[in-house]
Amino acid sequence: MKVYGITNCNTVKKALDWFKANQVMYEFHDFKKLGVSPEKLQEWDTKAGYEVFLNKKGTTWRDLDQDTKDSIKTNKDALQLLQAKTSMIKRPVIEDGGFLYFGFDEAAYQQHFKK
């Protein structure tokens, strides 16, 4: 299983604490240090749609100028922006086989990892 996120994000910390408490092994990928490839973003877009993981509630989105926000008209536009500003990706991103989840949801984690 792979967890993508940013180490100082409270939501990521909450998820990692849940995994540790429930003895779920994971590999962590830090967006700030390692970035994210265009191929990975395309994969997530194909599976879930960028609208699911483009975090428009966060500070990074709110701090963008209106012209930049308005320029997001296609998935290509969104993915280029997300690669440049990884802090706009809804975190954490959890990949475990066919399971792909964005954000922290204890009920979803329970259902998937407590089988």
Side-chain angles (χ1 to χ4, degrees), residues 76-107:
K76 183 180 177 188
D77 300 333
L79 299 182
Q80 286 177 338
L81 182 62
L82 287 165
Q83 187 176 19
K85 297 186 178 290
T86 56
S87 57
M88 287 194 321
I89 299 171
K90 187 173 184 179
R91 302 176 300 269
V93 181
I94 311 299
E95 290 183 325
D96 185 36
F99 182 76
L100 177 63
Y101 198 85
F102 301 92
F104 177 78
D105 183 334
E106 187 170 358

PDB file of all heavy atoms in Angstrom, residues 76-107:
ATOM      1  N   LYS A  76      -6.416  18.202 -18.632  1.00  0.00           N
ATOM      2  CA  LYS A  76      -5.002  18.527 -18.888  1.00  0.00           C
ATOM      3  C   LYS A  76      -4.597  19.794 -18.127  1.00  0.00           C
ATOM      4  O   LYS A  76      -3.535  19.836 -17.502  1.00  0.00           O
ATOM      5  CB  LYS A  76      -4.756  18.700 -20.392  1.00  0.00           C
ATOM      6  CG  LYS A  76      -3.322  18.965 -20.739  1.00  0.00           C
ATOM      7  CD  LYS A  76      -3.119  19.124 -22.235  1.00  0.00           C
ATOM      8  CE  LYS A  76      -1.665  19.461 -22.521  1.00  0.00           C
ATOM      9  NZ  LYS A  76      -1.444  19.818 -23.918  1.00  0.00           N
ATOM     10  N   ASP A  77      -5.445  20.825 -18.168  1.00  0.00           N
ATOM     11  CA  ASP A  77      -5.178  22.065 -17.432  1.00  0.00           C
ATOM     12  C   ASP A  77      -5.045  21.785 -15.939  1.00  0.00           C
ATOM     13  O   ASP A  77      -4.126  22.263 -15.273  1.00  0.00           O
ATOM     14  CB  ASP A  77      -6.310  23.084 -17.626  1.00  0.00           C
ATOM     15  CG  ASP A  77      -6.531  23.501 -19.063  1.00  0.00           C
ATOM     16  OD1 ASP A  77      -5.580  23.446 -19.869  1.00  0.00           O
ATOM     17  OD2 ASP A  77      -7.682  23.885 -19.379  1.00  0.00           O
ATOM     18  N   ALA A  78      -5.989  21.011 -15.413  1.00  0.00           N
ATOM     19  CA  ALA A  78      -6.001  20.714 -13.977  1.00  0.00           C
ATOM     20  C   ALA A  78      -4.779  19.905 -13.573  1.00  0.00           C
ATOM     21  O   ALA A  78      -4.146  20.205 -12.554  1.00  0.00           O
ATOM     22  CB  ALA A  78      -7.279  19.962 -13.613  1.00  0.00           C
ATOM     23  N   LEU A  79      -4.432  18.903 -14.353  1.00  0.00           N
ATOM     24  CA  LEU A  79      -3.305  18.044 -13.993  1.00  0.00           C
ATOM     25  C   LEU A  79      -1.986  18.803 -14.044  1.00  0.00           C
ATOM     26  O   LEU A  79      -1.112  18.582 -13.198  1.00  0.00           O
ATOM     27  CB  LEU A  79      -3.264  16.808 -14.893  1.00  0.00           C
ATOM     28  CG  LEU A  79      -4.498  15.901 -14.825  1.00  0.00           C
ATOM     29  CD1 LEU A  79      -4.324  14.689 -15.731  1.00  0.00           C
ATOM     30  CD2 LEU A  79      -4.828  15.484 -13.404  1.00  0.00           C
ATOM     31  N   GLN A  80      -1.835  19.715 -14.992  1.00  0.00           N
ATOM     32  CA  GLN A  80      -0.621  20.537 -15.041  1.00  0.00           C
ATOM     33  C   GLN A  80      -0.519  21.407 -13.787  1.00  0.00           C
ATOM     34  O   GLN A  80       0.561  21.532 -13.198  1.00  0.00           O
ATOM     35  CB  GLN A  80      -0.604  21.410 -16.295  1.00  0.00           C
ATOM     36  CG  GLN A  80      -0.312  20.641 -17.550  1.00  0.00           C
ATOM     37  CD  GLN A  80      -0.375  21.498 -18.806  1.00  0.00           C
ATOM     38  OE1 GLN A  80      -1.012  22.553 -18.838  1.00  0.00           O
ATOM     39  NE2 GLN A  80       0.278  21.028 -19.853  1.00  0.00           N
ATOM     40  N   LEU A  81      -1.624  21.979 -13.372  1.00  0.00           N
ATOM     41  CA  LEU A  81      -1.636  22.806 -12.164  1.00  0.00           C
ATOM     42  C   LEU A  81      -1.344  21.962 -10.928  1.00  0.00           C
ATOM     43  O   LEU A  81      -0.560  22.358 -10.062  1.00  0.00           O
ATOM     44  CB  LEU A  81      -2.978  23.525 -12.028  1.00  0.00           C
ATOM     45  CG  LEU A  81      -3.104  24.471 -10.836  1.00  0.00           C
ATOM     46  CD1 LEU A  81      -2.099  25.612 -10.933  1.00  0.00           C
ATOM     47  CD2 LEU A  81      -4.522  25.029 -10.760  1.00  0.00           C
ATOM     48  N   LEU A  82      -1.950  20.779 -10.853  1.00  0.00           N
ATOM     49  CA  LEU A  82      -1.730  19.897  -9.699  1.00  0.00           C
ATOM     50  C   LEU A  82      -0.277  19.422  -9.620  1.00  0.00           C
ATOM     51  O   LEU A  82       0.257  19.271  -8.522  1.00  0.00           O
ATOM     52  CB  LEU A  82      -2.680  18.703  -9.758  1.00  0.00           C
ATOM     53  CG  LEU A  82      -4.133  19.026  -9.431  1.00  0.00           C
ATOM     54  CD1 LEU A  82      -5.038  17.888  -9.856  1.00  0.00           C
ATOM     55  CD2 LEU A  82      -4.296  19.337  -7.959  1.00  0.00           C
ATOM     56  N   GLN A  83       0.353  19.220 -10.759  1.00  0.00           N
ATOM     57  CA  GLN A  83       1.753  18.814 -10.721  1.00  0.00           C
ATOM     58  C   GLN A  83       2.621  19.963 -10.223  1.00  0.00           C
ATOM     59  O   GLN A  83       3.558  19.754  -9.458  1.00  0.00           O
ATOM     60  CB  GLN A  83       2.231  18.339 -12.086  1.00  0.00           C
ATOM     61  CG  GLN A  83       3.631  17.760 -11.984  1.00  0.00           C
ATOM     62  CD  GLN A  83       4.134  17.178 -13.261  1.00  0.00           C
ATOM     63  OE1 GLN A  83       3.625  17.472 -14.339  1.00  0.00           O
ATOM     64  NE2 GLN A  83       5.147  16.361 -13.159  1.00  0.00           N
ATOM     65  N   ALA A  84       2.299  21.169 -10.619  1.00  0.00           N
ATOM     66  CA  ALA A  84       3.070  22.340 -10.194  1.00  0.00           C
ATOM     67  C   ALA A  84       2.799  22.696  -8.734  1.00  0.00           C
ATOM     68  O   ALA A  84       3.686  23.175  -8.030  1.00  0.00           O
ATOM     69  CB  ALA A  84       2.740  23.534 -11.087  1.00  0.00           C
ATOM     70  N   LYS A  85       1.577  22.463  -8.287  1.00  0.00           N
ATOM     71  CA  LYS A  85       1.171  22.836  -6.922  1.00  0.00           C
ATOM     72  C   LYS A  85       0.562  21.610  -6.244  1.00  0.00           C
ATOM     73  O   LYS A  85      -0.655  21.498  -6.099  1.00  0.00           O
ATOM     74  CB  LYS A  85       0.184  24.000  -6.958  1.00  0.00           C
ATOM     75  CG  LYS A  85       0.768  25.267  -7.549  1.00  0.00           C
ATOM     76  CD  LYS A  85      -0.181  26.416  -7.432  1.00  0.00           C
ATOM     77  CE  LYS A  85       0.400  27.700  -7.962  1.00  0.00           C
ATOM     78  NZ  LYS A  85       1.452  28.254  -7.152  1.00  0.00           N
ATOM     79  N   THR A  86       1.430  20.690  -5.833  1.00  0.00           N
ATOM     80  CA  THR A  86       0.969  19.419  -5.265  1.00  0.00           C
ATOM     81  C   THR A  86       0.162  19.602  -3.987  1.00  0.00           C
ATOM     82  O   THR A  86      -0.609  18.712  -3.621  1.00  0.00           O
ATOM     83  CB  THR A  86       2.151  18.475  -4.992  1.00  0.00           C
ATOM     84  OG1 THR A  86       3.082  19.137  -4.131  1.00  0.00           O
ATOM     85  CG2 THR A  86       2.835  18.068  -6.287  1.00  0.00           C
ATOM     86  N   SER A  87       0.302  20.723  -3.317  1.00  0.00           N
ATOM     87  CA  SER A  87      -0.475  20.928  -2.092  1.00  0.00           C
ATOM     88  C   SER A  87      -1.961  21.113  -2.386  1.00  0.00           C
ATOM     89  O   SER A  87      -2.775  21.138  -1.463  1.00  0.00           O
ATOM     90  CB  SER A  87       0.069  22.111  -1.293  1.00  0.00           C
ATOM     91  OG  SER A  87       0.076  23.277  -2.074  1.00  0.00           O
ATOM     92  N   MET A  88      -2.340  21.193  -3.662  1.00  0.00           N
ATOM     93  CA  MET A  88      -3.762  21.275  -4.018  1.00  0.00           C
ATOM     94  C   MET A  88      -4.383  19.896  -4.203  1.00  0.00           C
ATOM     95  O   MET A  88      -5.574  19.789  -4.472  1.00  0.00           O
ATOM     96  CB  MET A  88      -3.956  22.098  -5.294  1.00  0.00           C
ATOM     97  CG  MET A  88      -3.730  23.561  -5.042  1.00  0.00           C
ATOM     98  SD  MET A  88      -4.325  24.655  -6.362  1.00  0.00           S
ATOM     99  CE  MET A  88      -3.926  23.787  -7.830  1.00  0.00           C
ATOM    100  N   ILE A  89      -3.597  18.834  -4.066  1.00  0.00           N
ATOM    101  CA  ILE A  89      -4.139  17.482  -4.165  1.00  0.00           C
ATOM    102  C   ILE A  89      -4.770  17.118  -2.825  1.00  0.00           C
ATOM    103  O   ILE A  89      -4.140  17.276  -1.775  1.00  0.00           O
ATOM    104  CB  ILE A  89      -3.042  16.468  -4.536  1.00  0.00           C
ATOM    105  CG1 ILE A  89      -2.432  16.824  -5.899  1.00  0.00           C
ATOM    106  CG2 ILE A  89      -3.605  15.048  -4.541  1.00  0.00           C
ATOM    107  CD1 ILE A  89      -1.202  16.015  -6.258  1.00  0.00           C
ATOM    108  N   LYS A  90      -5.998  16.667  -2.872  1.00  0.00           N
ATOM    109  CA  LYS A  90      -6.687  16.247  -1.648  1.00  0.00           C
ATOM    110  C   LYS A  90      -5.892  15.112  -1.007  1.00  0.00           C
ATOM    111  O   LYS A  90      -5.533  14.141  -1.659  1.00  0.00           O
ATOM    112  CB  LYS A  90      -8.107  15.785  -1.974  1.00  0.00           C
ATOM    113  CG  LYS A  90      -8.923  15.488  -0.738  1.00  0.00           C
ATOM    114  CD  LYS A  90     -10.357  15.204  -1.104  1.00  0.00           C
ATOM    115  CE  LYS A  90     -11.161  15.009   0.165  1.00  0.00           C
ATOM    116  NZ  LYS A  90     -12.566  14.754  -0.127  1.00  0.00           N
ATOM    117  N   ARG A  91      -5.610  15.251   0.277  1.00  0.00           N
ATOM    118  CA  ARG A  91      -4.729  14.319   0.979  1.00  0.00           C
ATOM    119  C   ARG A  91      -5.433  13.649   2.144  1.00  0.00           C
ATOM    120  O   ARG A  91      -6.346  14.214   2.699  1.00  0.00           O
ATOM    121  CB  ARG A  91      -3.507  15.085   1.510  1.00  0.00           C
ATOM    122  CG  ARG A  91      -2.731  15.790   0.445  1.00  0.00           C
ATOM    123  CD  ARG A  91      -1.586  16.601   1.029  1.00  0.00           C
ATOM    124  NE  ARG A  91      -1.988  17.632   1.963  1.00  0.00           N
ATOM    125  CZ  ARG A  91      -2.262  18.890   1.646  1.00  0.00           C
ATOM    126  NH1 ARG A  91      -2.201  19.292   0.401  1.00  0.00           N
ATOM    127  NH2 ARG A  91      -2.601  19.750   2.554  1.00  0.00           N
ATOM    128  N   PRO A  92      -4.876  12.484   2.495  1.00  0.00           N
ATOM    129  CA  PRO A  92      -3.886  11.684   1.795  1.00  0.00           C
ATOM    130  C   PRO A  92      -4.525  10.969   0.605  1.00  0.00           C
ATOM    131  O   PRO A  92      -5.736  10.845   0.513  1.00  0.00           O
ATOM    132  CB  PRO A  92      -3.445  10.667   2.839  1.00  0.00           C
ATOM    133  CG  PRO A  92      -4.660  10.464   3.682  1.00  0.00           C
ATOM    134  CD  PRO A  92      -5.331  11.820   3.736  1.00  0.00           C
ATOM    135  N   VAL A  93      -3.667  10.516  -0.290  1.00  0.00           N
ATOM    136  CA  VAL A  93      -4.099   9.646  -1.383  1.00  0.00           C
ATOM    137  C   VAL A  93      -3.654   8.241  -0.992  1.00  0.00           C
ATOM    138  O   VAL A  93      -2.485   8.021  -0.680  1.00  0.00           O
ATOM    139  CB  VAL A  93      -3.460  10.043  -2.728  1.00  0.00           C
ATOM    140  CG1 VAL A  93      -3.963   9.127  -3.835  1.00  0.00           C
ATOM    141  CG2 VAL A  93      -3.731  11.506  -3.056  1.00  0.00           C
ATOM    142  N   ILE A  94      -4.585   7.314  -0.969  1.00  0.00           N
ATOM    143  CA  ILE A  94      -4.306   5.934  -0.564  1.00  0.00           C
ATOM    144  C   ILE A  94      -4.476   5.031  -1.782  1.00  0.00           C
ATOM    145  O   ILE A  94      -5.546   5.015  -2.397  1.00  0.00           O
ATOM    146  CB  ILE A  94      -5.295   5.467   0.539  1.00  0.00           C
ATOM    147  CG1 ILE A  94      -5.408   6.481   1.671  1.00  0.00           C
ATOM    148  CG2 ILE A  94      -4.929   4.068   1.023  1.00  0.00           C
ATOM    149  CD1 ILE A  94      -4.150   6.760   2.420  1.00  0.00           C
ATOM    150  N   GLU A  95      -3.427   4.296  -2.102  1.00  0.00           N
ATOM    151  CA  GLU A  95      -3.485   3.292  -3.167  1.00  0.00           C
ATOM    152  C   GLU A  95      -3.177   1.933  -2.552  1.00  0.00           C
ATOM    153  O   GLU A  95      -2.147   1.766  -1.898  1.00  0.00           O
ATOM    154  CB  GLU A  95      -2.421   3.552  -4.237  1.00  0.00           C
ATOM    155  CG  GLU A  95      -2.631   4.739  -5.103  1.00  0.00           C
ATOM    156  CD  GLU A  95      -1.554   4.849  -6.165  1.00  0.00           C
ATOM    157  OE1 GLU A  95      -0.378   4.492  -5.904  1.00  0.00           O
ATOM    158  OE2 GLU A  95      -1.879   5.297  -7.265  1.00  0.00           O
ATOM    159  N   ASP A  96      -4.076   1.003  -2.763  1.00  0.00           N
ATOM    160  CA  ASP A  96      -3.861  -0.356  -2.269  1.00  0.00           C
ATOM    161  C   ASP A  96      -4.540  -1.313  -3.244  1.00  0.00           C
ATOM    162  O   ASP A  96      -5.740  -1.551  -3.152  1.00  0.00           O
ATOM    163  CB  ASP A  96      -4.437  -0.521  -0.860  1.00  0.00           C
ATOM    164  CG  ASP A  96      -4.113  -1.882  -0.265  1.00  0.00           C
ATOM    165  OD1 ASP A  96      -3.015  -2.399  -0.514  1.00  0.00           O
ATOM    166  OD2 ASP A  96      -4.968  -2.428   0.457  1.00  0.00           O
ATOM    167  N   GLY A  97      -3.760  -1.808  -4.195  1.00  0.00           N
ATOM    168  CA  GLY A  97      -4.358  -2.629  -5.247  1.00  0.00           C
ATOM    169  C   GLY A  97      -5.354  -1.795  -6.021  1.00  0.00           C
ATOM    170  O   GLY A  97      -5.029  -0.720  -6.507  1.00  0.00           O
ATOM    171  N   GLY A  98      -6.584  -2.239  -6.106  1.00  0.00           N
ATOM    172  CA  GLY A  98      -7.624  -1.501  -6.814  1.00  0.00           C
ATOM    173  C   GLY A  98      -8.266  -0.405  -5.983  1.00  0.00           C
ATOM    174  O   GLY A  98      -9.091   0.358  -6.481  1.00  0.00           O
ATOM    175  N   PHE A  99      -7.914  -0.321  -4.711  1.00  0.00           N
ATOM    176  CA  PHE A  99      -8.485   0.686  -3.811  1.00  0.00           C
ATOM    177  C   PHE A  99      -7.763   2.010  -4.016  1.00  0.00           C
ATOM    178  O   PHE A  99      -6.540   2.073  -3.938  1.00  0.00           O
ATOM    179  CB  PHE A  99      -8.315   0.209  -2.364  1.00  0.00           C
ATOM    180  CG  PHE A  99      -8.887   1.121  -1.314  1.00  0.00           C
ATOM    181  CD1 PHE A  99     -10.251   1.173  -1.075  1.00  0.00           C
ATOM    182  CD2 PHE A  99      -8.051   1.903  -0.524  1.00  0.00           C
ATOM    183  CE1 PHE A  99     -10.777   1.978  -0.077  1.00  0.00           C
ATOM    184  CE2 PHE A  99      -8.562   2.715   0.470  1.00  0.00           C
ATOM    185  CZ  PHE A  99      -9.932   2.760   0.693  1.00  0.00           C
ATOM    186  N   LEU A 100      -8.505   3.061  -4.318  1.00  0.00           N
ATOM    187  CA  LEU A 100      -7.961   4.405  -4.463  1.00  0.00           C
ATOM    188  C   LEU A 100      -8.869   5.329  -3.687  1.00  0.00           C
ATOM    189  O   LEU A 100     -10.075   5.381  -3.935  1.00  0.00           O
ATOM    190  CB  LEU A 100      -7.910   4.810  -5.944  1.00  0.00           C
ATOM    191  CG  LEU A 100      -7.431   6.226  -6.247  1.00  0.00           C
ATOM    192  CD1 LEU A 100      -5.973   6.423  -5.800  1.00  0.00           C
ATOM    193  CD2 LEU A 100      -7.561   6.517  -7.736  1.00  0.00           C
ATOM    194  N   TYR A 101      -8.297   6.038  -2.715  1.00  0.00           N
ATOM    195  CA  TYR A 101      -9.106   6.902  -1.868  1.00  0.00           C
ATOM    196  C   TYR A 101      -8.379   8.212  -1.628  1.00  0.00           C
ATOM    197  O   TYR A 101      -7.162   8.225  -1.428  1.00  0.00           O
ATOM    198  CB  TYR A 101      -9.417   6.218  -0.528  1.00  0.00           C
ATOM    199  CG  TYR A 101     -10.574   6.866   0.160  1.00  0.00           C
ATOM    200  CD1 TYR A 101     -11.880   6.507  -0.144  1.00  0.00           C
ATOM    201  CD2 TYR A 101     -10.378   7.888   1.088  1.00  0.00           C
ATOM    202  CE1 TYR A 101     -12.958   7.137   0.459  1.00  0.00           C
ATOM    203  CE2 TYR A 101     -11.440   8.521   1.691  1.00  0.00           C
ATOM    204  CZ  TYR A 101     -12.721   8.142   1.376  1.00  0.00           C
ATOM    205  OH  TYR A 101     -13.785   8.772   1.957  1.00  0.00           O
ATOM    206  N   PHE A 102      -9.131   9.298  -1.631  1.00  0.00           N
ATOM    207  CA  PHE A 102      -8.578  10.632  -1.400  1.00  0.00           C
ATOM    208  C   PHE A 102      -9.182  11.188  -0.122  1.00  0.00           C
ATOM    209  O   PHE A 102     -10.396  11.287   0.006  1.00  0.00           O
ATOM    210  CB  PHE A 102      -8.911  11.562  -2.577  1.00  0.00           C
ATOM    211  CG  PHE A 102      -8.385  11.064  -3.889  1.00  0.00           C
ATOM    212  CD1 PHE A 102      -9.165  10.272  -4.708  1.00  0.00           C
ATOM    213  CD2 PHE A 102      -7.096  11.370  -4.292  1.00  0.00           C
ATOM    214  CE1 PHE A 102      -8.688   9.801  -5.921  1.00  0.00           C
ATOM    215  CE2 PHE A 102      -6.596  10.900  -5.501  1.00  0.00           C
ATOM    216  CZ  PHE A 102      -7.392  10.115  -6.323  1.00  0.00           C
ATOM    217  N   GLY A 103      -8.323  11.546   0.847  1.00  0.00           N
ATOM    218  CA  GLY A 103      -8.787  12.113   2.100  1.00  0.00           C
ATOM    219  C   GLY A 103      -8.817  11.081   3.210  1.00  0.00           C
ATOM    220  O   GLY A 103      -8.500   9.911   3.002  1.00  0.00           O
ATOM    221  N   PHE A 104      -9.181  11.523   4.399  1.00  0.00           N
ATOM    222  CA  PHE A 104      -9.274  10.632   5.553  1.00  0.00           C
ATOM    223  C   PHE A 104     -10.733  10.330   5.822  1.00  0.00           C
ATOM    224  O   PHE A 104     -11.549  11.237   5.981  1.00  0.00           O
ATOM    225  CB  PHE A 104      -8.641  11.277   6.792  1.00  0.00           C
ATOM    226  CG  PHE A 104      -8.772  10.419   8.011  1.00  0.00           C
ATOM    227  CD1 PHE A 104      -7.946   9.331   8.192  1.00  0.00           C
ATOM    228  CD2 PHE A 104      -9.741  10.686   8.963  1.00  0.00           C
ATOM    229  CE1 PHE A 104      -8.075   8.518   9.317  1.00  0.00           C
ATOM    230  CE2 PHE A 104      -9.877   9.885  10.094  1.00  0.00           C
ATOM    231  CZ  PHE A 104      -9.033   8.805  10.261  1.00  0.00           C
ATOM    232  N   ASP A 105     -11.044   9.048   5.856  1.00  0.00           N
ATOM    233  CA  ASP A 105     -12.394   8.603   6.195  1.00  0.00           C
ATOM    234  C   ASP A 105     -12.242   7.282   6.934  1.00  0.00           C
ATOM    235  O   ASP A 105     -12.024   6.238   6.318  1.00  0.00           O
ATOM    236  CB  ASP A 105     -13.231   8.434   4.936  1.00  0.00           C
ATOM    237  CG  ASP A 105     -14.674   8.037   5.242  1.00  0.00           C
ATOM    238  OD1 ASP A 105     -14.940   7.429   6.301  1.00  0.00           O
ATOM    239  OD2 ASP A 105     -15.540   8.335   4.405  1.00  0.00           O
ATOM    240  N   GLU A 106     -12.361   7.338   8.250  1.00  0.00           N
ATOM    241  CA  GLU A 106     -12.144   6.149   9.063  1.00  0.00           C
ATOM    242  C   GLU A 106     -13.073   5.004   8.671  1.00  0.00           C
ATOM    243  O   GLU A 106     -12.670   3.851   8.622  1.00  0.00           O
ATOM    244  CB  GLU A 106     -12.312   6.487  10.550  1.00  0.00           C
ATOM    245  CG  GLU A 106     -11.936   5.337  11.437  1.00  0.00           C
ATOM    246  CD  GLU A 106     -11.861   5.713  12.908  1.00  0.00           C
ATOM    247  OE1 GLU A 106     -12.073   6.889  13.253  1.00  0.00           O
ATOM    248  OE2 GLU A 106     -11.591   4.804  13.712  1.00  0.00           O
ATOM    249  N   ALA A 107     -14.327   5.314   8.337  1.00  0.00           N
ATOM    250  CA  ALA A 107     -15.271   4.267   7.950  1.00  0.00           C
ATOM    251  C   ALA A 107     -14.816   3.562   6.673  1.00  0.00           C
ATOM    252  O   ALA A 107     -14.879   2.337   6.574  1.00  0.00           O
ATOM    253  CB  ALA A 107     -16.674   4.852   7.771  1.00  0.00           C
TER     254      ALA A 107
END
